[in-house]
Protein backbone atom coordinates (compact mmCIF):
# COMPACT_ATOMS: atom_id res chain seq x y z
CA UNK A 1 0.00 0.00 0.00
CA UNK A 2 1.76 3.20 1.12
CA UNK A 3 5.37 2.63 0.09
CA UNK A 4 8.67 4.48 0.38
CA UNK A 5 11.08 4.45 3.27
CA UNK A 6 14.11 6.50 2.33
CA UNK A 7 15.01 8.54 5.38
CA UNK A 8 18.18 10.49 6.13
CA UNK A 9 19.77 10.62 9.56
CA UNK A 10 21.90 13.70 10.16
CA UNK A 11 24.42 14.56 12.85
CA UNK A 12 23.38 17.62 14.84
CA UNK A 13 26.28 17.75 17.25
CA UNK A 14 28.55 15.33 19.04
CA UNK A 15 26.66 12.09 19.81
CA UNK A 16 23.30 13.65 18.82
CA UNK A 17 21.62 12.53 15.59
CA UNK A 18 18.26 13.41 14.03
CA UNK A 19 16.28 11.00 11.82
CA UNK A 20 14.18 12.92 9.27
CA UNK A 21 11.06 10.76 9.28
CA UNK A 22 9.15 13.38 7.29
CA UNK A 23 11.08 12.19 4.22
CA UNK A 24 9.61 8.68 4.37
CA UNK A 25 6.55 9.22 2.18
CA UNK A 26 5.34 12.09 -0.03
CA UNK A 27 1.65 11.33 0.65
CA UNK A 28 1.42 11.04 4.43
CA UNK A 29 4.92 11.81 5.71
CA UNK A 30 6.43 11.24 9.13
CA UNK A 31 5.02 9.04 11.84
CA UNK A 32 1.58 9.41 10.23
CA UNK A 33 2.78 7.24 7.34
CA UNK A 34 3.81 4.58 9.83
CA UNK A 35 0.48 4.73 11.65
CA UNK A 36 -1.62 4.61 8.50
CA UNK A 37 0.32 1.95 6.61
CA UNK A 38 -1.19 -1.23 8.06
CA UNK A 39 -4.56 0.35 8.84
CA UNK A 40 -5.13 1.30 5.21
CA UNK A 41 -3.97 -2.14 4.14
CA UNK A 42 -6.52 -3.82 6.42
CA UNK A 43 -9.32 -1.43 5.41
CA UNK A 44 -8.86 -2.10 1.72
CA UNK A 45 -8.51 -5.87 2.26
CA UNK A 46 -11.89 -5.76 3.99
CA UNK A 47 -13.40 -3.97 1.00
CA UNK A 48 -14.19 -0.79 2.94
CA UNK A 49 -13.86 2.43 0.96
CA UNK A 50 -14.27 5.04 3.71
CA UNK A 51 -12.02 5.97 6.64
CA UNK A 52 -13.38 8.07 9.50
CA UNK A 53 -11.22 9.66 12.16
CA UNK A 54 -11.02 12.55 14.65
CA UNK A 55 -8.87 15.60 15.23
CA UNK A 56 -8.50 19.25 16.13
CA UNK A 57 -8.24 22.22 13.80
CA UNK A 58 -4.47 21.89 13.30
CA UNK A 59 -4.21 18.09 13.39
CA UNK A 60 -1.34 16.53 11.41
CA UNK A 61 -3.32 13.30 11.54
CA UNK A 62 -6.35 14.86 9.82
CA UNK A 63 -4.15 16.28 7.08
CA UNK A 64 -2.33 12.97 6.54
CA UNK A 65 -5.54 10.91 6.35
CA UNK A 66 -7.02 13.34 3.83
CA UNK A 67 -3.89 13.26 1.66
CA UNK A 68 -3.75 9.47 1.76
CA UNK A 69 -7.42 9.20 0.81
CA UNK A 70 -6.96 11.53 -2.14
CA UNK A 71 -3.87 9.71 -3.39
CA UNK A 72 -5.19 6.17 -2.96
CA UNK A 73 -8.78 6.99 -3.91
CA UNK A 74 -10.75 6.17 -0.77
CA UNK A 75 -13.24 8.41 1.02
CA UNK A 76 -12.30 10.20 4.23
CA UNK A 77 -14.38 11.76 6.99
CA UNK A 78 -12.91 14.01 9.67
CA UNK A 79 -14.80 14.66 12.89
CA UNK A 80 -13.39 18.03 13.95
CA UNK A 81 -13.37 19.39 17.51
CA UNK A 82 -15.06 22.81 17.78
CA UNK A 83 -18.27 24.02 16.14
CA UNK A 84 -16.98 27.60 16.23
CA UNK A 85 -14.72 27.09 13.21
CA UNK A 86 -17.36 25.50 10.96
CA UNK A 87 -17.98 28.63 8.89
CA UNK A 88 -14.38 29.85 8.72
CA UNK A 89 -12.45 26.62 8.33
CA UNK A 90 -11.07 27.69 4.95
CA UNK A 91 -8.99 30.24 6.87
CA UNK A 92 -7.27 27.31 8.58
CA UNK A 93 -4.45 25.86 6.40
CA UNK A 94 -4.81 22.32 7.77
CA UNK A 95 -8.57 22.08 7.32
CA UNK A 96 -8.40 23.83 3.96
CA UNK A 97 -5.88 21.21 2.79
CA UNK A 98 -8.06 18.38 4.12
CA UNK A 99 -11.10 19.78 2.31
CA UNK A 100 -9.17 20.21 -0.94
CA UNK A 101 -8.11 16.57 -0.66
CA UNK A 102 -11.77 15.57 -0.56
CA UNK A 103 -12.25 14.95 3.16
CA UNK A 104 -15.79 15.46 4.44
CA UNK A 105 -15.51 17.60 7.57
CA UNK A 106 -18.08 17.32 10.34
CA UNK A 107 -17.71 19.88 13.13
CA UNK A 108 -18.95 18.94 16.60
CA UNK A 109 -19.05 20.77 19.90
CA UNK A 110 -16.23 20.20 22.35
CA UNK A 111 -18.75 18.57 24.67
CA UNK A 112 -19.82 16.07 22.00
CA UNK A 113 -16.21 15.52 20.98
CA UNK A 114 -15.42 14.21 24.46
CA UNK A 115 -17.87 11.38 23.71
CA UNK A 116 -16.00 10.33 20.55
CA UNK A 117 -14.90 6.97 21.95
CA UNK A 118 -18.31 5.89 23.22
CA UNK A 119 -20.38 3.26 21.41
CA UNK A 120 -23.40 5.57 21.30
CA UNK A 121 -21.47 8.33 19.53
CA UNK A 122 -19.82 5.91 17.09
CA UNK A 123 -23.20 4.37 16.25
CA UNK A 124 -24.65 7.82 15.56
CA UNK A 125 -21.84 8.34 13.05
CA UNK A 126 -22.56 4.97 11.40
CA UNK A 127 -26.24 5.93 11.17
CA UNK A 128 -25.21 9.15 9.44
CA UNK A 129 -22.40 7.95 7.17
CA UNK A 130 -22.87 4.20 6.76
CA UNK A 131 -19.98 1.73 6.89
CA UNK A 132 -16.51 3.09 7.58
CA UNK A 133 -13.14 2.04 8.94
CA UNK A 134 -12.62 3.76 12.28
CA UNK A 135 -9.31 5.30 13.34
CA UNK A 136 -9.00 6.96 16.76
CA UNK A 137 -7.73 10.50 17.28
CA UNK A 138 -4.04 10.63 16.42
CA UNK A 139 -4.30 7.27 14.66
CA UNK A 140 -2.92 5.18 17.52
CA UNK A 141 -3.99 1.54 17.67
CA UNK A 142 -2.24 -1.84 17.50
CA UNK A 143 -1.62 -1.58 13.76
CA UNK A 144 -0.27 1.95 14.13
CA UNK A 145 2.19 0.76 16.77
CA UNK A 146 3.22 -2.08 14.45
CA UNK A 147 4.00 0.46 11.75
CA UNK A 148 5.98 2.68 14.12
CA UNK A 149 8.14 -0.29 15.11
CA UNK A 150 9.64 -0.01 11.63
CA UNK A 151 11.19 3.40 12.33
CA UNK A 152 14.21 1.72 13.88
CA UNK A 153 16.34 -0.34 11.54
CA UNK A 154 19.53 -2.34 11.26
CA UNK A 155 22.47 -0.45 12.70
CA UNK A 156 20.45 1.55 15.22
CA UNK A 157 21.81 -0.57 18.05
CA UNK A 158 24.68 1.95 17.91
CA UNK A 159 22.58 4.43 19.90
CA UNK A 160 22.20 4.42 23.68
CA UNK A 161 19.03 6.50 23.72
CA UNK A 162 16.08 6.84 21.33
CA UNK A 163 13.95 9.99 21.67
CA UNK A 164 10.71 11.12 20.07
CA UNK A 165 7.90 13.62 20.68
CA UNK A 166 4.65 12.23 22.08
CA UNK A 167 1.04 13.03 21.25
CA UNK A 168 -1.14 9.95 21.74
CA UNK A 169 1.83 7.65 22.44
CA UNK A 170 1.66 5.24 19.49
CA UNK A 171 4.98 6.24 17.96
CA UNK A 172 6.77 5.98 21.29
CA UNK A 173 5.24 2.54 21.94
CA UNK A 174 6.47 1.32 18.56
CA UNK A 175 9.98 2.56 19.29
CA UNK A 176 9.94 0.90 22.70
CA UNK A 177 8.90 -2.43 21.18
CA UNK A 178 11.64 -2.40 18.56
CA UNK A 179 14.42 -0.98 20.74
CA UNK A 180 17.29 -3.09 22.03
CA UNK A 181 17.71 -4.10 25.66
CA UNK A 182 20.62 -1.72 26.22
CA UNK A 183 18.68 1.29 24.90
CA UNK A 184 16.57 3.78 26.82
CA UNK A 185 13.57 5.29 25.01
CA UNK A 186 12.53 8.79 26.07
CA UNK A 187 9.32 10.53 25.04
CA UNK A 188 8.70 14.28 25.14
CA UNK A 189 4.94 14.92 25.55
CA UNK A 190 3.42 17.89 23.77
CA UNK A 191 0.44 17.80 26.14
CA UNK A 192 0.09 18.57 29.83
CA UNK A 193 -0.96 15.82 32.22
CA UNK A 194 0.27 12.44 33.38
CA UNK A 195 -2.26 10.22 31.60
CA UNK A 196 0.10 9.25 28.77
CA UNK A 197 2.06 6.69 30.75
CA UNK A 198 -1.03 4.50 31.12
CA UNK A 199 -1.89 4.90 27.42
CA UNK A 200 1.60 3.89 26.29
CA UNK A 201 1.67 0.92 28.65
CA UNK A 202 -1.35 -0.52 26.81
CA UNK A 203 0.87 -1.18 23.78
CA UNK A 204 4.09 -2.45 25.37
CA UNK A 205 5.24 -4.71 28.17
CA UNK A 206 8.77 -3.34 28.29
CA UNK A 207 10.03 -0.92 30.92
CA UNK A 208 13.08 0.66 29.24
CA UNK A 209 11.31 3.97 28.72
CA UNK A 210 10.31 7.20 30.44
CA UNK A 211 8.65 10.52 29.71
CA UNK A 212 10.41 13.88 29.95
CA UNK A 213 7.27 15.84 30.78
CA UNK A 214 8.71 19.30 31.49
CA UNK A 215 8.87 20.61 27.93
CA UNK A 216 5.24 20.98 26.82
CA UNK A 217 5.42 24.82 26.95
CA UNK A 218 1.93 25.06 28.40
CA UNK A 219 0.22 22.34 26.40
CA UNK A 220 -0.72 21.18 22.94
CA UNK A 221 -0.04 23.74 20.22
CA UNK A 222 1.34 26.34 22.64
CA UNK A 223 4.70 28.02 22.09
CA UNK A 224 6.42 31.19 23.28
CA UNK A 225 9.21 33.54 22.20
CA UNK A 226 11.88 31.28 23.65
CA UNK A 227 10.77 28.27 21.64
CA UNK A 228 10.31 30.36 18.48
CA UNK A 229 13.86 31.66 18.84
CA UNK A 230 15.16 28.12 19.39
CA UNK A 231 13.36 26.81 16.29
CA UNK A 232 14.65 29.59 14.04
CA UNK A 233 18.18 29.21 15.39
CA UNK A 234 18.05 25.43 14.91
CA UNK A 235 16.94 25.84 11.29
CA UNK A 236 19.69 28.37 10.57
CA UNK A 237 22.36 26.12 12.07
CA UNK A 238 21.21 22.75 10.72
CA UNK A 239 19.13 23.47 7.62
CA UNK A 240 16.15 21.57 9.07
CA UNK A 241 12.82 23.03 10.14
CA UNK A 242 11.15 21.75 13.30
CA UNK A 243 7.39 21.61 13.65
CA UNK A 244 5.91 23.90 16.33
CA UNK A 245 3.80 21.27 18.12
CA UNK A 246 6.01 18.23 18.60
CA UNK A 247 9.60 17.96 17.39
CA UNK A 248 10.61 21.47 18.43
CA UNK A 249 9.74 20.71 22.05
CA UNK A 250 11.67 17.43 21.96
CA UNK A 251 14.80 19.07 20.57
CA UNK A 252 14.56 21.96 23.03
CA UNK A 253 14.24 19.43 25.84
CA UNK A 254 17.20 17.40 24.63
CA UNK A 255 19.46 20.44 24.45
CA UNK A 256 18.32 21.58 27.90
CA UNK A 257 18.77 18.16 29.51
CA UNK A 258 22.26 17.75 28.02
CA UNK A 259 23.27 21.22 29.18
CA UNK A 260 22.04 20.51 32.71
CA UNK A 261 23.83 17.16 32.84
CA UNK A 262 20.57 15.19 32.99
CA UNK A 263 21.81 13.29 29.93
CA UNK A 264 25.54 12.47 29.88
CA UNK A 265 27.40 14.07 26.97
CA UNK A 266 28.89 10.76 25.86
CA UNK A 267 25.49 9.10 25.47
CA UNK A 268 24.74 8.47 21.80
CA UNK A 269 21.25 9.76 21.01
CA UNK A 270 18.93 9.21 18.06
CA UNK A 271 16.05 11.72 17.98
CA UNK A 272 13.10 11.11 15.65
CA UNK A 273 11.74 14.06 13.64
CA UNK A 274 8.15 12.90 13.19
CA UNK A 275 7.13 15.56 10.66
CA UNK A 276 4.21 17.93 11.12
CA UNK A 277 5.76 20.70 9.03
CA UNK A 278 2.38 21.42 7.45
CA UNK A 279 1.43 23.04 10.75
CA UNK A 280 3.93 25.89 10.43
CA UNK A 281 1.68 28.03 8.21
CA UNK A 282 -1.22 27.83 10.63
CA UNK A 283 1.03 28.57 13.59
CA UNK A 284 2.49 31.61 11.83
CA UNK A 285 -1.02 32.92 11.23
CA UNK A 286 -1.69 32.62 14.97
CA UNK A 287 1.66 34.22 15.89
CA UNK A 288 0.98 37.13 13.55
CA UNK A 289 -2.29 37.88 15.33
CA UNK A 290 -0.50 37.81 18.69
CA UNK A 291 2.31 40.09 17.52
CA UNK A 292 4.94 37.39 18.09
CA UNK A 293 7.95 36.61 15.85
CA UNK A 294 7.25 34.24 12.97
CA UNK A 295 8.77 30.83 12.30
CA UNK A 296 11.21 30.87 9.40
CA UNK A 297 10.47 28.45 6.56
Amino acid sequence: MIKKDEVDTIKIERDLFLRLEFQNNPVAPGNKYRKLKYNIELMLNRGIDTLLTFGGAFSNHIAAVAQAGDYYNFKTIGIIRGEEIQFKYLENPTLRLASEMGMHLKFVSREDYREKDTSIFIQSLRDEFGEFYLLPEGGTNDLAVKGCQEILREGDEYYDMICCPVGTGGTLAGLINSSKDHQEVVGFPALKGDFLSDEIAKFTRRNNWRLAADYHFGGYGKINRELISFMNRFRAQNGVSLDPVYTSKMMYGLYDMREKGLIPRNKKILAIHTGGLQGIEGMNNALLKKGLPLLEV
Side-chain angles (χ1 to χ4, degrees):
M1 192 55 228
I2 297 180
K3 295 181 179 179
K4 187 180 184 295
D5 188 9
E6 300 170 6
V7 181
D8 289 334
T9 301
I10 61 174
K11 186 175 183 178
I12 300 299
E13 58 179 47
R14 179 183 173 183
D15 295 326
L16 176 57
F17 298 80
L18 184 64
R19 177 153 298 162
L20 308 181
E21 268 290 293
F22 59 86
Q23 296 178 341
N24 62 21
N25 190 274
V27 180
N31 63 331
K32 301 307 177 186
Y33 151 65
R34 307 289 184 180
K35 289 183 172 183
L36 288 172
K37 178 180 176 181
Y38 292 112
N39 278 291
I40 292 176
E41 205 171 82
L42 178 61
M43 179 186 73
L44 297 181
N45 286 341
R46 289 179 174 176
I48 302 173
D49 67 353
T50 302
L51 190 155
L52 181 145
T53 193
F54 307 86
F58 297 96
S59 168
N60 295 326
H61 172 64
I62 288 291
V65 168
Q67 288 172 291
D70 176 69
Y71 189 84
Y72 294 106
N73 197 31
F74 60 84
K75 300 172 187 176
T76 56
I77 300 169
I79 309 303
I80 309 301
R81 180 179 64 248
E83 286 179 312
E84 68 276 5
I85 56 176
Q86 180 172 359
F87 300 107
K88 55 181 180 179
Y89 73 89
L90 290 177
E91 300 173 12
N92 176 296
T94 300
L95 298 181
R96 184 175 67 244
L97 170 66
S99 179
E100 290 172 351
M101 294 295 103
M103 175 175 275
H104 177 85
L105 302 175
K106 177 181 173 64
F107 298 87
V108 301
S109 69
R110 295 172 187 275
E111 181 180 6
D112 286 346
Y113 193 84
R114 286 192 287 270
E115 303 298 316
K116 66 184 182 300
D117 298 322
T118 65
S119 58
I120 294 176
F121 188 75
I122 298 300
Q123 185 57 52
S124 73
L125 294 174
R126 295 197 185 281
D127 292 341
E128 180 175 356
F129 296 112
E131 184 181 19
F132 54 74
Y133 185 90
L134 179 67
L135 260 187
E137 182 179 33
T140 291
N141 59 13
D142 289 329
L143 290 176
V145 172
K146 177 184 176 182
C148 290
Q149 290 174 190
E150 297 174 357
I151 294 173
L152 296 182
R153 56 201 190 208
E154 186 177 352
D156 286 346
E157 60 270 14
Y158 166 82
Y159 302 103
D160 303 307
M161 178 181 287
I162 311 296
C163 297
C164 85
V166 181
T168 54
T171 304
L172 187 71
L175 291 168
I176 294 166
N177 289 342
S178 59
S179 64
K180 303 299 183 183
D181 289 341
H182 71 277
Q183 294 175 321
E184 181 183 26
V185 183
V186 182
F188 291 78
L191 296 86
K192 295 171 67 174
D194 56 4
F195 62 94
L196 278 171
S197 292
D198 291 338
E199 289 300 309
I200 295 164
K202 293 177 182 178
F203 297 101
T204 184
R205 296 183 178 180
R206 305 187 70 187
N207 57 11
N208 63 330
W209 61 280
R210 62 187 170 100
L211 297 178
D214 296 331
Y215 300 100
H216 53 69
F217 283 82
Y220 181 79
K222 295 185 178 180
I223 64 175
N224 58 20
R225 289 180 181 271
E226 185 176 7
L227 186 59
I228 293 169
S229 177
F230 171 81
M231 292 174 67
N232 288 336
R233 187 168 62 250
F234 186 93
R235 184 183 185 279
Q237 293 173 347
N238 300 290
V240 176
S241 295
L242 302 174
D243 83 283
V245 177
Y246 294 107
T247 306
S248 57
K249 297 179 179 183
M250 172 190 68
M251 293 308 299
Y252 182 97
L254 274 174
Y255 274 71
D256 186 64
M257 292 172 73
R258 279 160 61 95
E259 184 175 332
K260 292 176 178 177
L262 300 175
I263 299 176
R265 283 281 176 174
N266 62 350
K267 192 174 285 285
K268 296 182 286 293
I269 302 170
L270 175 64
I272 309 299
H273 190 322
T274 54
L277 298 179
Q278 65 86 24
I280 292 178
E281 182 183 355
M283 180 60 73
N284 273 342
N285 290 343
L287 295 176
L288 188 63
K289 293 176 182 178
K290 295 178 181 179
L292 291 171
L294 301 184
L295 300 172
E296 297 173 5
V297 293

